[in-house]
Amino acid sequence: MAKNAPPRWDRRMQQRLSRGEAAALGEMYDRFAALVHSQAHRMLDDEGAADLVTREVFAHVWENPDAYDPKQGSMRAWVAHLTHRESVRRLRRDADEDRDDPDDPDGLEERVRRATAAARADYIVSSMPAPLRAALELAYVRRRDYRQTAADLGVTEDEARRRLRLGLQLLSTARTRPLEGAPPPGYGRAL
């Protein structure tokens, strides 16, 4: 298989969706619904809005299966990109409806930036290798120092520090501002 070729599952799923197989949409929903809903909920902080975004994303996938470009990245990254785009659209629509001062778009933009950074952090954590994720969880969720983390993971202290440092470096990229119109990490290239 070529280095940049999409996984076989992604190619088969796109073909099945293009043929209009409802079972393919169900399989895709089972695989990605939790990702879509949690990303939308994280960005919108509203269960009902996250449910709506989830439905809208899968409706878009069903109606436009050929919009997925395997050359740009995995189907998972495409679905995450759709979720991000729809969540931002909903944030902007809600802000337009609730806006007290039409000359102050900074509040909305700040909310969009924070929501985007939070969604990117979630995406980074969910896609990082399990050893890094486990080290971060022990250190920052369970409040273990690097020595305790090393003992819990059964690795050397140097290896625990390395995993924590690398995990934190990956997470720090969530706060960087992507280029305008850039896809989320893992889906295509920023131009």
Side-chain angles (χ1 to χ4, degrees):
M1 179 170 13
K3 182 178 180 182
N4 294 330
R8 190 175 306 168
W9 185 90
D10 290 357
R11 289 192 312 265
R12 279 194 319 247
M13 181 57 63
Q14 183 181 28
Q15 292 165 353
R16 291 174 62 201
L17 288 167
S18 293
R19 289 190 303 258
E21 289 183 34
L25 183 64
E27 184 180 329
M28 190 170 175
Y29 184 87
D30 290 344
R31 189 172 203 160
F32 296 126
L35 167 74
V36 171
H37 191 272
S38 66
Q39 181 180 346
H41 189 270
R42 177 72 179 212
M43 290 184 73
L44 302 170
D45 196 26
D46 180 343
E47 188 74 27
D51 291 342
L52 287 172
V53 167
T54 301
R55 285 195 296 270
E56 289 167 0
V57 165
F58 285 100
H60 178 82
V61 167
W62 177 249
E63 294 167 0
N64 305 288
D66 293 328
Y68 167 62
D69 182 1
K71 294 175 186 167
Q72 295 295 312
S74 70
M75 188 163 281
R76 174 186 171 92
W78 178 59
V79 169
H81 173 72
L82 293 174
T83 304
H84 179 265
R85 186 180 70 195
E86 187 56 39
S87 297
V88 168
R89 200 177 281 149
R90 182 163 295 281
L91 274 172
R92 288 189 172 133
R93 185 172 44 233
D94 291 349
D96 286 343
E97 292 171 2
D98 296 339
R99 183 167 304 189
D100 294 330
D101 183 4
D103 297 326
D104 184 24
D106 294 337
L108 169 64
E109 291 304 315
E110 182 57 31
R111 282 181 49 208
V112 169
R113 269 196 289 287
R114 279 195 315 262
T116 299
R120 283 176 49 105
D122 284 348
Y123 182 82
I124 290 167
V125 168
S126 69
S127 61
M128 74 174 44
L132 298 181
R133 194 171 45 248
L136 287 174
E137 180 182 331
L138 286 168
Y140 294 98
V141 175
R142 297 188 183 169
R143 302 288 208 191
R144 306 268 202 276
D145 65 21
Y146 76 93
R147 288 182 181 101
Q148 295 166 323
T149 298
D152 289 351
L153 294 175
V155 297
T156 66
E157 291 178 4
D158 285 341
E159 176 63 13
R161 282 194 299 260
R162 187 189 71 75
R163 289 180 186 183
L164 290 169
R165 183 174 49 250
L166 184 54
L168 290 174
Q169 285 172 342
L170 288 171
L171 275 175
S172 72
T173 65
R175 295 291 295 170
T176 60
R177 186 171 183 181
L179 295 173
E180 187 67 32
Y187 190 76
R189 294 180 301 227
L191 299 174

